[in-house]
Structure formats: structure tokens, C-alpha cells
Amino acid sequence: MSKLKKILFWIVSIYLLIIVLLYFFQHKIIFQPEKLSLDYEYQFDQDFEEFFITAEDNSKLNGLHFRTSNPKGVILYFHGNRGSLKRWGKVATFFVDKQYDLVIMDYRGYGKNNGTITEQLLYADAQLFYEYVKNKYSEEKIIIYGRSLGTGIATKIAAQNKPGNLVLETPFSSMGDVTSYWFPIFPVKAVLKFKFPSDQYIKDVTCNITIYHGTKDRVVPFSLGEKLFNSCKSSDKKMIVIKGGAHNNLNEFKLYQSTIDNVLRTF
């Protein structure tokens, strides 16, 4: 074998190996949970209740329900890909301080939850939490809020229900677009198990839609949030562009702080 052929052989071999690794380890790349013991006690300054919902396969799904006096509405919050309710409960209390009740769930394999995630199970579990909220509040008072990975779930749930509002922070058009951004020379869409085609689901959303995205987001590029926005058929849509905003700091910007109250009140 000539030297050139050997080089080509190793290049192709490494290329194929990376594709195989992406296929088998994509779950660990996309989902980065923090595990908690069942006896872990959450601690937040706001009034809350911890609860569990039993899925059809008898899996126990952990959630938190924050309550305020005279709430303006209720937010069903779908969090990002890293951490657990220990972290995201603190993030979400930003909205509790604004006089909104809030329900937030952990995904399978996160926090106190066991099990392995599939895309369809994520949607099914999220629908259970939507039903939980719907049984306690008027549906037009429900605000679905998704952040990062959670925007893929939030968009699907908003599409198959009739909430009052949908707010997406740092969303993506589809997981295929995100992975293609990160691995541009590999056929990741062909091996991707998690599709999250939000650009398709958002076409069926009938409520108000607001997208927040930063122009310096290095995790989910701004162009993918823009692509999702352009996929919206609803006339009640707006995209709030945070110039200089990254993936995890949008709420630090004055534009976010000055608009979020009106965004949450649009139902």
C-alpha cells in the first residue's frame, strides 16, 4: 500500500469511527443530567410543593409547583439539557418573583428520576405535566416557557394543546440543524436519534409566540432561532433579539428585563 493510500485509509477510518461514536454517544452529548437521591430536600425562598407524576410505564416523574398569592398566570417551564431541578428551580423562581405560579419538571434520568430518555417519552411526559397544570388552572392562563433543549419540548406541547402563550429562550429549528452546526463535515442528521423538529411543530401553534435569542450564542446559533421564527405561521409572533447575548445570560440584559413582563401578559 502506498503512503498516500495509507493516509487516505486512516483518514476514512477515523472519519467513520467518529460517525459511529456520534451515533452511540449522542445521548450523553445531548443530555447532561445531575442525579439526586430520593431523599434530597429542595430549598428555595419561595413557597413550593414537590410532587411526582406516574407515567404509563409506572415511571415516577419529579416536579416542583411554586405558588404565589393572586398569581397573574401559571408558567409550565421546560429546562435545558444540563443539571436538575436543584439548579433549574432557582432559575425559574425569577418568574415566581413576578407573581406567576410555576410548574417545572425533571426529565427521565435527571434529578430523582430514573429511566432512559427517548424523544417520544419526553413529549409524553411533558404532556402529563401539561394536564396536571390544566387541571388546576384555566388553559388560557397557561404560559409554556422553554429554554434551550426545553424549547423543543415546549414547542411540541404548545402545538398539541391550546395554552395562552409560548415563550422560547435560545431555541433551535431542529436538533439536526444544531448538530450540523457543531459537526459540519459529518452526516449527523442521518444518525441522529433525537430530531426535535420544532420548525415543523411551531406551524401548528395557535397562541402568541415570543422568541428570545442572543446574537453571540455559541451553543445554539442565532441563525437557528431566526429560522424557527420564520417557520411560524401565527400572526401573533415576535422575536426579541438580544445584541451581544450569549446562551445563558439573556436575563441579564436590559432588553430582556424591560420586555419580559409584557411578553408574559399577552394572553
Side-chain angles (χ1 to χ4, degrees), residues 83-192:
S84 70
L85 290 181
K86 178 182 177 182
R87 171 196 176 193
W88 289 104
K90 293 179 181 178
V91 173
T93 55
F94 169 86
F95 302 102
V96 182
D97 289 339
K98 292 184 174 295
Q99 286 301 115
Y100 288 90
D101 285 2
L102 185 139
V103 174
I104 181 170
M105 65 175 289
D106 249 343
Y107 312 132
R108 292 175 184 241
Y110 282 69
K112 300 184 180 184
N113 296 344
N114 293 318
T116 301
I117 289 175
T118 69
E119 186 172 346
Q120 293 309 313
L121 282 175
L122 271 176
Y123 296 147
D125 295 346
Q127 182 62 34
L128 290 176
F129 278 80
Y130 187 89
E131 295 295 336
Y132 169 90
V133 174
K134 185 180 174 182
N135 288 336
K136 298 179 182 297
Y137 301 86
S138 298
E139 193 167 19
E140 67 271 12
K141 293 285 188 180
I142 300 175
I143 304 161
I144 298 179
Y145 195 108
R147 179 164 168 178
S148 191
L149 175 71
T151 63
I153 305 166
T155 303
K156 170 66 170 174
I157 298 305
Q160 63 190 33
N161 295 283
K162 301 293 182 183
N165 204 348
L166 173 65
V167 185
L168 304 173
E169 182 179 341
T170 64
F172 49 85
S173 46
S174 70
M175 186 58 71
D177 288 340
V178 176
T179 53
S180 293
Y181 166 79
W182 277 101
F183 306 100
I185 67 171
F186 298 99
V188 287
K189 289 186 178 181
V191 299
L192 194 62

Side-chain angles (χ1 to χ4, degrees), residues 10-41:
W10 283 110
I11 290 176
V12 172
S13 296
I14 292 171
Y15 183 85
L16 293 175
L17 176 61
I18 292 174
I19 293 175
V20 171
L21 291 174
L22 287 173
Y23 177 80
F24 286 105
F25 290 97
Q26 60 185 272
H27 189 281
K28 291 185 179 296
I29 296 172
I30 297 173
F31 304 104
Q32 300 175 28
E34 173 190 28
K35 292 297 295 179
L36 300 174
S37 64
L38 282 175
D39 60 357
Y40 177 82
E41 295 185 6

